[in-house]
Amino acid sequence: MSGDSPAERAGRRRARLLVAAVVTVVLGVSLILAEAIDLDKSIRPLIPDSSPELAKSAGVLDLAPFSKVLAVQLAADGPDSARLLPETADAVRARLDPALMDAPALDEQIPDMAGVMALLPALADGECLDQVATAMDPAALGPRLAVLKDDLSGVNAAVTGLFWRADPLGLRGCVFKNFPRLTGLPQPDPMIGYPVSDDGLRLLILIRPKVAMSDTDGCVALMANLEESLAVSLPEGVTAQIAGGHRHTAANSGVIMRDLVVTMSLAMILILAIYVFLVRSWGALWLFLTPAAAVLIATAIMSLVFDRVSGLAIGFGAAVLGIAEDYAVHVHFALRRSPDSRTAIRWVARPLFMSVLLCAGGFGVLWWSAIPAIRQVAVFTILSIVVGYAWAILVLPHCPGMDTPRERAMPPADLRRPRKRACLATVGVFACLTLVLFAAVPRNASVRSLGHASRELLSDQAAIEKAWKLNQDMSIFLAEGGDAEQALALVRQGEASLRARMPGLESASLASLWPDAAEQAARIAAWNSLMAERGAEFTAAFTQAALEHGFAPAAFEPFLQWFAAKPARIDAEALRSAGLGFLLNSFLSAKDGKTYATLLVQDAGANHGVSALDGNERIFALSARGLEHGLDRAMSQDRWLIPAAAVICLLVLLWTFQDGYFALLAFIPSLAGLAGVLAWFMASGHPLGLVEAAGLPLVVCLGADYGILAVHEFSEKLDLGAARAILVSGLTTVAGIGILILARHPVLKAMGGTVFVGLVAAMAAAILLLPRLCGEKRTGRDGA
Amino acid sequence: MKFVPLFLMLFLVAAAASAGQPRAVDTRLQEVQRQMVGVRQISGTFTQTKKLEFLKEPVVSHGRFFFDKPGTLTWEYVSPAPSGLKMENGKATVWNGPPEARVTQPGAMSRAAKMMADQVMMWMNFRPRDIQAAYDVGIAGENPLTLRVVPKRDGLRKYLKSITVALADDYRTVRSVTLEEDGAATTLDFDDVRFDQGPPRGMTE
């Protein structure tokens, strides 16, 4: 370079200034855009959206009855529990932030008897109407009132005292029999105001969050407030456990953020350490900037392309750091050994471009994954790789200290041909091994594998579910309607469909307590007819009998007023007036202008329920089994991504080498990586889940990337320091991805583990196996 | 709510006489607690008079009770309409009718009875801190010594406004216990209260 003319030096200076200006502007704009990115820290992007019903179900997850409450169990194992538990519960409730959550008042949970009786005419079926007619018989009134009087003074007084004035004839059963039996939520002790266990040692606070389960920031704030309330309020001897979807969301959000910071930082430190030990030049500083710039610019573009970006996709950035800088490493070593930067770029641009194509192809197939977050990982990684390549080719040669040759050019490597039989046999063995292992590895379509749940969280949830029989073996369906009547009509259809297929199946919804308009009208008409015929006679006889039994004239005023009133139709307001607001909220929800009615079905242990409602696109299944069924289908769908990635890789390799055997040789690390990771799954018992399956195409393309660089040395008469470059870039890639094993979120951990093991196997094959499969020396690729 | 005053009686049996200040209430409750130490069983008979706002005449009934620590309670009405409840191992059973034609009541009734019995148990396993956590305790009169307790919790207050207990002059027995409910007042007069002598004669096992 010292022999450059002043004009050349000036030209380089101008180019350098231009590049610096452009890079500064691009990085500045990227920084602003990346700052504004809307990160989704929930597990929602992990729910496959390939099937419309699964996508819709995921969209309304937070409308399920159990999603609408947070259960806080207080436990005290001692003689003071009866005093401590309600006191503590009150103290916790008092500290809850009303903007984030509340606990329903007792009045909302205990029926008001006059309101309940007002529901009766619209619920009075034939059997009930017969019961009413019998109770109205003047001859039956005397004995009935005598029993009532005894009950008011005997052991039944506590219950009788609640309803005797509104229901002296004992007709409330006609209403109560329509109450959904599978509410799934324990009823409060009317004295204490909270559900209390039989042994009195546990108390449950049911909290109504005011933030959606998908609102990660809201859930984090809610959990922080709740945990603070508990920390301040819990006396010695009282413990608390929390269960609910909002806790899961908050936990996942926290873990994703922690993983983002930890893995990114560690990956940067590790990559820097590798540069310091293996590159040993100031150029390492520019190398280090490459992945950082690539990730920054890719993040900025992601913020423009997607409304919300999964935190997990960005969390995969730690791995991307290790991949994106590969090109810079190769350019760096080429610059050190070539006479000038143009020559170096000319030498490496094509093989590196092939490598970009390979990676883009491998990650590109992930675009067809059923999981939205995986698709975002694909876009994010491809963007990072393309930016990393562009940075290496366009920016790096202009960086100070990068364009000066520092090392003596090494003698050309021996040009070798693959040993055909050995190459074919190796490919065959690895391909068969991969197929056999892929068929044998256990599958896992569990929903829980997609979300972070600490041991404490799972243990709390299991303890609460067991103690209070919450959410046990229950399928949840949500019917979508324009209003409550429409949604409930769909629920009725769904229930009828289920019952037709599975007679005796136990189910629950608000439909039984809120009949359709026509049915209500018919029942009210029958009621009015009975009252018109016998009402006046009954009222006179009842009033007389009451007086004869010593009751004051006003004793049954609520009953007689109801009896004389015009029967009203049942609607949301009527149910709220009857003190059934909590029940109403559990079974009916509104979101985005739609009303959703809940149908709970006792899960018979199969997917029959789900399939029974298939075909009605306005009813969504929210059962764990249904979701797992959907995940399983999504996993089957994602399975073809692996051969697709393999085909893309082979095509790129063929195009690169224009030689079938070289292409097969370069493909061996991919197969070795696949076989290695599947063997690891088998040996460790680690199941193949959705995320692991999505990681396998990455192993294929990154393995082929090693192959292409290793074989390049055999196929071209060029030594650009490829061996050292492979070592450095391989180590940084493995380090970046390996860091993900430290992640606490299962998705990042699974992805990191899968790709890490696969890449170690692929690297070993590239470094140790490929040279042994090349035996024939030649003087040049074209025989020259 | 008729069950609650029975155990007010239990702590009042040994209640000290002096003072009308909150601190005096604390002292008195602690004295009762001390005097209850060692008692394993309590039994007796009662006469219940219930005055309802909407009944012209009060309803009078008779019965007996037996408590065996730590958690077995039988409360039985003998006349005019036989009925009763038994609380054992955390489960309540409620029945109606005479022993030869007893009808066990459904779960809802048992749950209500259990809640009542739990309140009774709280008094029986006498701990001033528990009582004062559930009730505001005050001294309403001196001759005879009368205590008035008011439930602190909304849930309980829906059923019971207050309990007033008048002690006999010797402070060993309760003269009367009156429960004030919404539109009703129930008075219990206890008789033949015995300690650690097993269930009363004739009580259903």
Side-chain angles (χ1 to χ4, degrees), chain A residues 79-80 90 153-154 190 550 552, chain B residues 2 48 54 56 115 127 129 153:
Chain A
D80 290 338
D90 287 347
S153 63
Chain B
K2 60 186 73 60
Q48 176 184 291
F54 298 109
K56 289 175 188 166
M115 286 181 256
R127 281 188 297 272
R129 278 209 302 173
R153 306 194 65 76

Side-chain angles (χ1 to χ4, degrees), chain A residues 158-222:
Chain A
V159 172
T160 309
L162 296 174
F163 64 78
W164 70 278
R165 295 190 64 208
D167 181 29
L169 302 185
L171 301 174
R172 61 193 176 283
C174 287
V175 179
F176 286 150
K177 74 175 183 183
N178 293 291
F179 273 42
R181 274 175 291 176
L182 302 173
T183 62
L185 297 173
Q187 299 302 302
D189 178 320
M191 302 282 183
I192 297 170
Y194 304 96
V196 179
S197 64
D198 283 347
D199 59 10
L201 300 179
R202 290 186 302 276
L203 176 150
L204 200 67
I205 313 173
L206 291 171
I207 289 170
R208 276 189 307 212
K210 290 181 180 171
V211 295
M213 206 167 65
S214 53
D215 175 0
T216 46
D217 292 338
C219 288
V220 169
L222 180 150

Side-chain angles (χ1 to χ4, degrees), chain A residues 558-720:
Chain A
F559 170 71
L560 292 170
Q561 277 177 358
W562 162 70
F563 215 74
K566 186 182 168 192
R569 282 195 53 206
I570 294 173
D571 54 19
E573 193 46 48
L575 292 173
R576 278 201 190 89
S577 299
L580 304 176
F582 196 62
L583 197 64
L584 189 73
N585 292 338
S586 292
F587 280 91
L588 215 56
S589 311
K591 187 175 183 180
D592 301 333
K594 301 277 185 189
T595 301
Y596 295 87
T598 303
L599 167 62
L600 299 177
V601 178
Q602 200 74 48
D603 218 324
N607 292 318
H608 301 310
V610 178
S611 58
L613 292 176
D614 279 353
N616 191 338
E617 59 186 28
R618 291 168 69 195
I619 302 183
F620 322 121
L622 294 184
S623 71
R625 282 197 183 90
L627 206 52
E628 282 173 11
H629 181 61
L631 288 179
D632 203 38
R633 276 190 297 187
M635 205 155 97
S636 301
Q637 182 189 323
D638 274 12
R639 219 169 279 166
W640 72 267
L641 297 179
I642 302 164
V647 168
I648 288 174
C649 284
L650 271 172
L651 288 175
V652 175
L653 291 172
L654 276 171
W655 185 29
T656 305
F657 295 111
Q658 306 283 309
D659 183 310
Y661 286 106
F662 271 118
L664 280 179
L665 191 68
F667 190 57
I668 284 172
S670 296
L671 290 173
L674 276 181
V677 74
L678 290 171
W680 173 63
F681 285 159
M682 280 294 286
S684 63
H686 186 103
L688 181 66
L690 262 176
V691 179
E692 289 86 351
L696 293 180
L698 307 189
V699 173
V700 173
C701 72
L702 291 173
D705 192 28
Y706 292 140
I708 211 170
L709 293 168
V711 173
H712 196 71
E713 234 180 47
F714 311 144
S715 62
E716 300 285 342
K717 193 178 176 179
L718 288 171
D719 176 18
L720 307 174

Side-chain angles (χ1 to χ4, degrees), chain A residues 265-493:
Chain A
S265 309
L266 283 178
M268 293 285 237
I269 291 168
L270 214 55
I271 288 169
L272 187 62
I274 291 169
Y275 288 157
V276 167
F277 285 106
L278 294 177
V279 178
R280 292 183 216 149
S281 82
W282 285 109
L285 179 68
W286 302 115
L287 293 186
F288 186 65
L289 278 181
T290 305
V295 168
L296 178 65
I297 295 170
T299 305
I301 298 173
M302 290 288 282
S303 74
L304 295 174
V305 174
F306 296 100
D307 291 336
R308 295 199 82 191
V309 178
S310 166
L312 291 165
I314 304 297
F316 197 68
V320 170
L321 285 175
I323 303 169
E325 54 70 67
D326 283 2
Y327 310 110
V329 170
H330 284 278
V331 168
H332 172 73
F333 282 103
L335 286 170
R336 283 166 65 149
R337 294 182 177 215
S338 61
D340 56 63
S341 57
R342 279 187 189 170
T343 310
I345 296 302
R346 201 169 57 241
W347 284 349
V348 294
R350 188 168 178 275
L352 291 185
F353 180 69
M354 290 302 167
S355 171
V356 169
L357 272 186
L358 258 182
C359 289
F363 281 96
V365 295
L366 293 183
W367 179 252
W368 284 274
S369 168
I371 306 173
I374 298 289
R375 295 202 295 271
Q376 289 192 349
V377 165
V379 175
F380 184 57
T381 311
I382 291 171
L383 283 171
S384 302
I385 288 169
V386 170
V387 173
Y389 175 76
W391 182 282
I393 299 293
L394 300 175
V395 178
L396 218 54
H398 299 286
C399 294
M402 289 293 286
D403 57 351
T404 308
R406 291 167 183 273
E407 295 176 7
R408 207 155 40 85
M410 298 296 286
D414 288 338
L415 302 183
R416 304 159 77 186
R417 287 285 304 169
R419 289 190 301 194
K420 293 180 182 175
R421 283 186 187 167
C423 184
L424 284 173
T426 308
V427 168
V429 167
F430 275 126
C432 289
L433 192 61
T434 300
L435 287 173
V436 169
L437 287 168
F438 190 76
V441 162
R443 301 287 197 275
N444 176 22
S446 161
V447 186
R448 288 188 174 176
S449 69
L450 297 179
H452 165 77
S454 65
R455 205 172 284 176
E456 184 195 359
L457 192 154
L458 291 176
S459 139
D460 285 2
Q461 185 167 318
I464 291 175
E465 284 182 359
K466 188 179 172 194
W468 303 96
K469 299 181 176 63
L470 294 177
N471 207 9
Q472 302 265 307
D473 297 327
M474 214 178 274
S475 291
I476 305 164
F477 297 91
L478 286 177
E480 180 191 85
D483 57 28
E485 303 257 1
Q486 283 180 13
L488 286 169
L490 283 168
V491 160
R492 279 182 210 102
Q493 285 175 22

